[in-house]
Amino acid sequence: WVYGAVDPSSGTATMLETARALGQLLKEGFRPRRTIVLGNWDAEEYTLTGSTEWGEQFEDDLRKNAVVCLNVDASTSGQDFSVSAVPSLIPALIEATQAVRDPATGRSVYERWKEQKAARSVRSYAVPGSGAAPVPFGLLGGGSDYMVFLQHVGVPALDMIFDGPYGVYHSLYDDFRWMERFGDPGFRYHAAMSRLWGLLALRFANADLLPLDYSIYAGEIAAYLEGLEKIAPADFFAETIRPLTEKSREWQRAAGKATRALEARRRGDAAALDAPRDERAQAAVAANFNAALMAQERALLDDRGIPGRPWFRHLIYAPLPSYEAETLPGLREALEAHDFARARQQAGALADALQRAIRALPPPRSPGGEQSD
């Protein structure tokens, strides 16, 4: 779209700087434990063609191995940190933003972020989460390259920007001069995004235990289900949706136990995961937990897809034509169409997905190796 100094060239510039920094670490002898892939696709405005074709081509490898997609489309048009993400990534985001300084105030990005009233987007398609998290965040719909990773392949994803007034969006005035004078004088927020992006990449690439918290995710889903009471008949809500809410709470409890065990292990309490003393055996225990965490997002896919648009497989998030996020798309769309047979089928698919997620979680174990309740 003409010059695109903000969208997408600010993101591209930040990616190149992050790549330079990672390359410098490599020259100094540092190698990440997991592979970091830097992706920069063409044809994003043309129906996300570049990233979609790439994601479909490498789908099998991504479903087996991909840990997270950290998406930055435009990195800055202002000073307000704005992120849309799957809820399981919020704790890792909080840690990373606590470590990066906000250039304008000198405080941490986190301190400024948590004071915002709600998720912001000058593009007007951010849909806020339920509000239960300690920071405002948006939900992922469409409009950027994370879409194939989350909604087709089942890879946890986020999309972040330093947002702000952007009256030159998709115009010929979105050029270097506007960025230099108004968008980010001194390019300080470009640098801040590079620090934040790099920290997140290194955190996920090097963690013994992946920093994913699905108890937050399960609580969000329960809130989405409760919100369906506005559009569902009372008897349908009581008989079909209420059990799904209870199943979400069951997943929340199970995921909470796993998260507490992981946090204890990170603090050095080896007994929390029944960790053996042998290093090789410890690595195997950690690998099993990481595999279970990676299986959580995949569990929320239905390979049949959403009725009417089967490419979208994710049962929790899909985009509307406006790019806005839609929660529980298959179930919600059936209810809005008053197609209760389809709604029951979609409720069943969601129940199966929640049960898959619960089964994929390893149960916390006592120091003696017995399963705890």
Side-chain angles (χ1 to χ4, degrees):
W1 287 85
V2 198
Y3 302 114
V6 173
D7 180 11
S9 296
S10 66
T12 303
T14 299
M15 186 200 72
L16 292 171
E17 176 62 11
T18 305
R20 186 200 63 79
L22 292 172
Q24 185 61 40
L25 286 175
L26 185 64
K27 290 177 183 178
E28 295 172 5
F30 173 81
R31 293 185 66 89
R33 295 173 59 185
R34 298 181 180 90
T35 301
I36 298 174
V37 177
L38 295 141
N40 191 43
W41 295 280
D42 204 351
E44 190 261 8
E45 297 292 353
Y46 190 72
T47 66
L48 307 176
T49 296
S51 57
T52 299
E53 292 289 337
W54 192 90
E56 290 176 343
Q57 180 179 349
F58 296 105
E59 178 181 342
D60 291 343
D61 186 39
L62 291 167
R63 289 189 78 155
K64 181 180 178 182
N65 297 309
V67 172
V68 68
C69 170
L70 305 172
N71 193 71
V72 174
D73 191 332
S75 68
T76 178
S77 62
Q79 299 182 0
D80 296 323
F81 181 66
S82 176
V83 64
S84 296
V86 295
S88 53
L89 296 178
I90 296 303
L93 269 164
I94 288 174
E95 287 185 3
T97 54
Q98 287 172 335
V100 176
R101 288 197 177 277
D102 173 66
T105 65
R107 300 184 299 164
S108 70
V109 171
Y110 169 74
E111 289 176 296
R112 187 168 177 181
W113 176 26
K114 71 179 180 179
E115 293 173 357
Q116 291 176 197
K117 300 298 183 184
R120 298 178 182 179
S121 172
V122 297
R123 293 154 193 80
S124 300
Y125 54 82
V127 175
S130 71
V135 285
F137 71 98
L139 307 179
L140 290 168
S144 194
D145 292 313
Y146 59 78
M147 198 166 75
V148 67
F149 298 98
L150 175 63
Q151 292 155 353
H152 191 70
V153 184
V155 179
L158 61 78
D159 182 44
M160 55 187 177
I161 182 175
F162 284 105
D163 218 347
Y166 185 27
V168 300
Y169 179 51
H170 279 189
S171 79
L172 69 95
Y173 301 103
D174 184 6
D175 60 7
F176 184 86
R177 179 177 174 81
W178 185 90
M179 178 63 77
E180 186 178 38
R181 293 188 63 188
F182 305 109
D184 186 20
F187 299 90
R188 298 179 301 163
Y189 280 91
H190 282 70
M193 180 60 78
S194 182
R195 295 185 186 103
L196 180 56
W197 208 357
L199 276 175
L200 281 166
L202 290 170
R203 177 76 173 94
F204 278 96
N206 291 300
D208 290 333
L209 300 165
L210 296 172
L212 296 167
D213 186 344
Y214 278 91
S215 63
I216 296 174
Y217 207 133
E220 280 280 311
I221 293 174
Y224 307 155
L225 287 164
E226 291 291 347
L228 293 179
E229 189 171 13
K230 298 175 182 177
I231 63 172
D235 58 341
F236 186 94
F237 185 85
E239 296 170 8
T240 305
I241 296 177
R242 185 68 70 191
L244 290 173
T245 305
E246 294 168 1
K247 182 64 70 174
S248 297
R249 298 299 185 194
E250 180 184 348
W251 182 29
Q252 186 177 29
R253 290 190 293 272
K257 288 180 180 179
T259 297
R260 288 191 292 274
L262 292 170
E263 288 301 323
R265 175 72 180 274
R266 291 187 184 108
R267 292 193 301 269
D269 181 4
L273 293 182
D274 190 27
R277 294 184 179 181
D278 177 74
E279 288 187 8
R280 186 173 297 179
Q282 286 182 12
V285 170
N288 288 337
F289 262 76
N290 287 334
L293 290 169
M294 289 170 64
Q296 296 293 282
E297 201 74 48
R298 311 311 195 253
L300 301 176
L301 299 183
D302 186 337
D303 286 338
R304 296 168 294 183
I306 299 168
R309 41 181 182 152
W311 188 88
F312 295 97
R313 298 169 175 168
H314 207 286
L315 295 176
I316 311 304
Y317 301 116
L320 293 167
S322 63
Y323 292 169
E324 287 186 1
E326 181 182 34
T327 60
L328 311 173
L331 179 55
R332 186 181 301 276
E333 289 170 13
L335 288 171
E336 289 173 344
H338 303 288
D339 186 342
F340 299 111
R342 173 156 56 101
R344 289 187 181 87
Q345 185 273 327
Q346 286 297 297
L350 182 55
D352 291 343
L354 294 172
Q355 189 59 44
R356 286 194 297 271
I358 293 168
R359 284 200 306 266
L361 282 169
R365 294 179 179 274
S366 67
E370 296 179 354
Q371 187 171 316
S372 62
D373 58 16

